[in-house]
Amino acid sequence: MNKKREVESSVKDESLIAKRRSQMIRGAVTLFKQKGFHRTTTREIAKAAGFSIGTLYEYIRTKEDVLYLVCDSIYDEVHTRLAALDTENASIEVLKTALQHYYGLIDDMQDEFVVMYQESKSLPKDALQYVLNKEIEMVSLFERLLKECVESGELELTPKEITLASHHLFVQGQMWAFRRWALNDFTIEEFINMQTQFLLQGMAGEKISIQGA
């Protein structure tokens, strides 16, 4: 299990910590996207979050802590949205639902995904390793779904094909965040349906209906 990296806080109220850090994340994402991580100051983050620099430092210790919280919030949300899926009895339908939930999340958190991939290199080594491990955990969920589909006979994939396909499913949805500027003619529903069609058709070797996914 990838143990969560602790961010020090002088405040003990967990609900208040969650509230203040959520405010920080929202403010920081806007600033990091506009100015970049290195050009953004903690004072600017505090202002964007709606409180003083002194209050900011009650909940974090460094600017890198804020960037880490941005990255971690994405994976927490991915886990929350996919946790309810029946990954023990997977099928093509469950896989399509997982893609719908995950790609919908990317739509909701476009700026966060862009910031994470552009700026995560600025994280301390231990925080970066945690973020990379979290990504592998998320990819492994798609890998488990694909293995179940193979075992049920719905797909025919070798172990290496399963590994590559799971990364492909995970990364391909992120196009919506990185290439959104060039996809203005698409709705998120069209994007999800077409990507699902392309991805599953390629793996199955035949056209699979995605209506109702």
Side-chain angles (χ1 to χ4, degrees):
M1 178 65 67
N2 191 22
K3 186 177 180 180
K4 184 179 285 289
R5 181 179 185 269
E6 294 298 326
V7 175
E8 292 185 27
S9 171
S10 60
V11 177
K12 303 306 179 184
D13 186 331
E14 293 296 331
S15 63
L16 188 56
I17 291 173
K19 178 181 178 181
R20 291 288 185 248
R21 286 181 174 174
S22 178
Q23 291 172 300
M24 283 183 220
I25 289 168
R26 289 196 299 270
V29 164
T30 299
L31 289 167
F32 291 164
K33 186 178 180 184
Q34 291 175 347
K35 303 180 62 174
F37 173 76
H38 290 292
R39 292 178 58 200
T40 299
T41 67
T42 51
R43 189 172 298 278
E44 289 172 325
I45 294 172
K47 182 178 179 180
F51 41 77
S52 69
I53 186 68
T55 299
L56 180 83
Y57 280 116
E58 291 179 359
Y59 298 93
I60 54 98
R61 291 293 176 266
T62 67
K63 187 170 64 170
E64 287 77 12
D65 284 344
V66 182
L67 178 58
Y68 163 76
L69 291 172
V70 170
C71 297
D72 197 41
S73 69
I74 293 173
Y75 295 117
D76 281 347
E77 191 62 30
V78 171
H79 183 269
T80 297
R81 295 207 187 186
L82 300 184
L85 295 175
D86 184 7
T87 58
E88 298 302 320
N89 297 287
S91 64
I92 290 293
E93 290 304 314
V94 173
L95 179 59
K96 288 189 289 187
T97 300
L99 290 173
Q100 183 182 43
H101 288 187
Y102 173 56
Y103 291 2
L105 170 64
I106 293 172
D107 182 49
D108 292 341
M109 302 181 75
Q110 292 178 47
D111 290 347
E112 286 88 342
F113 273 92
V114 170
V115 166
M116 180 176 68
Y117 283 109
Q118 287 182 340
E119 305 295 349
S120 59
K121 61 184 180 295
S122 299
L123 287 168
K125 186 176 180 179
D126 66 320
L128 177 58
Q129 190 58 56
Y130 171 85
V131 168
L132 294 176
N133 288 343
K134 289 292 286 186
E135 178 143 332
I136 293 300
E137 284 183 19
M138 296 301 102
V139 172
S140 69
L141 185 143
F142 286 107
E143 189 168 5
R144 289 198 301 274
L145 291 175
L146 289 172
K147 284 180 179 178
E148 289 283 338
C149 290
V150 169
E151 290 174 6
S152 69
E154 291 188 272
L155 291 174
E156 291 186 12
L157 297 170
T158 66
K160 282 193 173 181
E161 287 174 337
I162 290 173
T163 298
L164 186 58
S166 63
H167 283 272
H168 195 63
L169 292 174
F170 189 80
V171 172
Q172 200 68 11
Q174 294 168 5
M175 179 195 300
W176 187 249
F178 292 107
R179 301 290 298 178
R180 187 70 187 90
W181 59 272
L183 298 173
N184 292 325
D185 291 339
F186 290 81
T187 65
I188 182 59
E189 291 79 14
E190 289 172 331
F191 177 81
I192 292 172
N193 286 344
M194 293 179 73
Q195 284 284 40
T196 302
Q197 183 73 68
F198 292 155
L199 293 167
L200 296 186
Q201 183 177 330
M203 286 188 289
E206 60 183 354
K207 187 171 183 179
I208 297 175
S209 174
I210 60 170
Q211 296 303 316

